[in-house]
Amino acid sequence: DEAWLSEQIQPRLNDITPQDVRAWYDACKETLRIPQAWHAAHIFLTRHDKTKPDRGAEIREIQRQLLAKEKTFAQLAQEYSEDARGRGLGGDLGWFTQERMPADFIAAVQKLRIGQFSAPVQTQLGWHLLIVLEHHASRLPVLAETKDEITALLISKRREEAVKSL
């Protein structure tokens, strides 16, 4: 049955032209938008430690050490950060988008220039010292970047239509 289906469907899949791809791109390119993203690092002190209700003094002391260049950001993150994943990476959070982080955290990140250290930032999760390492603005990919993806999508749609019609 599968062999017969493939034989019946294959001619319909070969009909996708560069014009089909261009037409889909022109009509739907906004769905391919790449969101803005940040690559940042942080030193994090949680708000959820009941034995330490006010962490403001702690985060300011860490900031003082950073600004006095007593230790690097990575060294301070390894020593003090309570983000277990990031601590081992010197505070590095990797790349993230607005959808992956809490709004109050993103608001603080958006205010920073690349390479700039933040003042202590309090969010609903806790206290942070931040540095933005890189930033990519939102952008639409050009057709050449998405041609293979669009072709695969059109093939998949045509395959579904052909199977339904059979």
Side-chain angles (χ1 to χ4, degrees):
D1 290 346
E2 287 182 29
W4 181 83
L5 273 175
S6 293
E7 185 179 301
Q8 299 302 310
I9 292 171
Q10 192 56 45
R12 300 178 195 195
L13 304 181
N14 293 335
D15 293 341
I16 295 175
T17 66
Q19 293 79 15
D20 294 331
V21 173
R22 166 57 78 179
W24 190 95
Y25 176 81
D26 289 342
C28 304
K29 64 185 168 191
E30 194 59 42
T31 65
L32 301 171
R33 178 170 289 282
I34 299 167
Q36 74 175 318
W38 295 268
H39 178 200
H42 77 154
I43 298 168
F44 172 70
L45 301 179
T46 184
R47 290 180 61 192
H48 303 293
D49 184 343
K50 294 184 185 337
T51 65
K52 299 177 181 180
D54 181 16
R55 310 292 302 271
E58 286 177 74
I59 201 74
R60 284 189 294 281
E61 172 55 23
I62 297 167
Q63 180 193 31
R64 184 200 64 74
Q65 291 177 46
L66 177 64
L67 296 176
K69 298 184 179 180
E70 293 174 14
K71 295 181 182 175
T72 66
F73 191 94
Q75 289 169 332
L76 290 166
Q78 287 175 341
E79 186 174 340
Y80 295 106
S81 187
E82 294 171 354
D83 172 6
R85 185 184 66 83
R87 180 176 52 238
L89 301 170
D92 194 335
L93 295 167
W95 284 95
F96 55 87
T97 61
Q98 185 169 337
E99 291 76 26
R100 277 195 45 224
M101 295 293 187
D104 51 0
F105 182 87
I106 288 294
V109 167
Q110 289 175 328
K111 293 176 185 173
L112 296 173
R113 294 182 315 274
I114 294 173
Q116 177 186 9
F117 296 116
S118 73
V121 174
Q122 187 175 22
T123 68
Q124 60 184 329
L125 299 175
W127 286 96
H128 308 263
L129 288 177
L130 302 163
I131 182 170
V132 173
L133 305 169
E134 299 174 80
H135 174 250
H136 291 162
S138 174
R139 69 180 183 86
L140 282 173
V142 296
L143 177 60
E145 291 175 90
T146 60
K147 182 179 70 159
D148 293 342
E149 181 181 345
I150 294 169
T151 301
L153 174 69
L154 293 175
I155 288 171
S156 177
K157 283 184 176 185
R158 288 207 181 153
R159 180 176 285 119
E160 283 180 33
E161 291 167 3
V163 168
K164 283 180 185 175
S165 71
L166 290 173

